[in-house]
């Protein structure tokens, strides 16, 4: 089984709607990273979470870390077409902070 | 600061050949990690270099190797290419002081025929 499970696998939302995607780890999380990727391109760093209960926001995107559940959620408020892409969560499950394990990614489409 | 750069961006090789990919990290970043991304396996860690030394290694065969130079630039080499090596190869750099994020380059798309 995957060490990092992301859900849902894909998501289509109407522009302006809010949405939440999740990332659950089967191992202890030492750090959780959210990235966005356009197909075939590099990863764009969004946010990093390290402590249980930590919550960070940037523009319309908010990420939270639930250390007890070993889960992180990413919430987008009032989605826009520019939010479309693949959202990947990466986790440090070794404590080394250099070897990240990634989920399969969630494909988000935003309909104008 | 300029971001992570990777060259070449696209590459076509045939089975049995070898290939070298290059990565220049963000200025001041001493850690460079390499990842392979395929539709089937997703994003998988290959190895990390810090101060010219391999510090971590993923579960890839010995055909995959790398090195880092004194200016922190890194190269990755794949020998005896197989069809399954077709992938997007991404490198990421980070300032290794403290717990910080990795910043990724645009990747090198390798197609093995």
């Amino acid at each position: 089984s995957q060490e990092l499970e992301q859900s849902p696998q894909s998501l289509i939302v109407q522009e302006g709607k809010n949405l939440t995607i999740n990332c659950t780890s089967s191992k202890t999380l030492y750090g959780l990273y959210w990235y966005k990727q356009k197909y075939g391109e590099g990863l764009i760093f969004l946010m990093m979470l390290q402590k249980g209960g930590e919550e960070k926001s940037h523009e319309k995107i908010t990420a939270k870390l639930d250390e007890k559940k070993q889960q992180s959620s990413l919430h987008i408020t009032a989605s826009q077409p520019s939010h479309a892409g693949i959202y990947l969560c990466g986790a440090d499950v070794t404590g080394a902070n250099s070897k990240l394990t990634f989920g399969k990614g969630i494909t988000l489409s935003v309909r104008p | 600061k300029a971001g992570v750069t990777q060259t070449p961006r696209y590459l076509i090789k045939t089975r049995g050949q070898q290939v070298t990919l290059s990565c220049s990290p963000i200025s001041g970043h001493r850690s460079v990690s390499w990842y392979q991304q395929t539709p089937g396996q997703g994003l998988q860690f290959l190895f990390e270099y810090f101060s010219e030394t391999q510090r971590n290694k993923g579960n890839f065969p010995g055909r995959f190797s790398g090195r880092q130079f004194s200016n922190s630039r890194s190269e990755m080499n794949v020998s005896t290419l197989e069809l399954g090596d077709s992938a997007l190869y991404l490198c990421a750099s980070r300032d290794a002081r403290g717990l910080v994020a990795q910043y990724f380059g645009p990747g090198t798309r390798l197609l093995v025929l």
Side-chain angles (χ1 to χ4, degrees):
Chain A
S1 63
Q2 282 286 116
E3 289 182 355
L4 277 185
E5 295 280 354
Q6 290 191 248
S7 61
Q9 280 191 325
S10 61
L11 194 56
I12 302 173
V13 298
Q14 197 68 36
E15 182 177 359
K17 294 294 185 183
N18 303 335
L19 64 106
T20 300
I21 57 179
N22 296 296
C23 175
T24 304
S25 174
S26 61
K27 295 188 175 183
T28 300
L29 290 171
Y30 293 91
L32 193 290
Y33 305 81
W34 283 100
Y35 290 90
K36 180 185 173 186
Q37 184 181 33
K38 293 286 189 182
Y39 182 77
E41 299 179 6
L43 277 64
I44 299 168
F45 171 70
L46 295 175
M47 268 170 280
M48 174 178 70
L49 304 165
Q50 294 175 308
K51 301 173 185 175
E54 189 172 17
E55 180 176 320
K56 287 187 177 178
S57 294
H58 177 67
E59 297 181 342
K60 295 185 178 181
I61 301 176
T62 300
K64 299 179 185 180
L65 179 63
D66 185 329
E67 198 170 43
K68 288 182 180 177
K69 292 182 180 178
Q70 294 180 166
Q71 183 178 74
S72 178
S73 61
L74 187 85
H75 182 80
I76 298 176
T77 303
S79 58
Q80 300 168 348
S82 60
H83 288 127
I86 301 167
Y87 287 82
L88 290 146
C89 65
D92 173 10
V93 296
T94 65
N97 196 40
S98 58
K99 176 182 177 180
L100 296 186
T101 299
F102 282 88
K104 291 287 191 181
I106 294 169
T107 301
L108 171 64
S109 301
V110 180
R111 287 182 176 161
Chain B
K1 281 185 181 179
V4 178
T5 59
Q6 292 187 245
T7 57
R9 292 293 312 279
Y10 304 93
L11 208 48
I12 299 175
K13 292 285 187 179
T14 56
R15 279 181 298 176
Q17 287 187 311
Q18 75 165 13
V19 67
T20 299
L21 312 181
S22 181
C23 172
S24 291
I26 292 171
S27 177
H29 286 190
R30 294 165 62 192
S31 168
V32 174
S33 296
W34 288 89
Y35 293 83
Q36 180 197 66
Q37 187 177 36
T38 60
Q41 298 300 316
L43 201 57
Q44 293 184 292
F45 173 81
L46 281 156
F47 30 66
E48 182 220 4
Y49 284 87
F50 176 77
S51 291
E52 302 177 64
T53 302
Q54 189 179 87
R55 197 158 65 168
N56 274 296
K57 191 176 188 305
N59 298 321
F60 279 82
R63 299 185 297 108
F64 292 81
S65 62
R67 59 177 176 169
Q68 187 180 34
F69 302 94
S70 58
N71 62 357
S72 294
R73 188 177 70 87
S74 177
E75 286 183 347
M76 188 194 116
N77 185 274
V78 187
S79 62
T80 319
L81 284 165
E82 300 176 0
L83 296 178
D85 296 333
S86 294
L88 181 66
Y89 290 89
L90 295 157
C91 83
S93 77
R94 69 186 182 104
D95 179 348
R97 290 168 290 183
L99 297 174
V100 293
Q102 295 184 26
Y103 293 88
F104 283 78
T108 294
R109 171 74 64 183
L110 172 65
L111 177 61
V112 182
L113 302 175

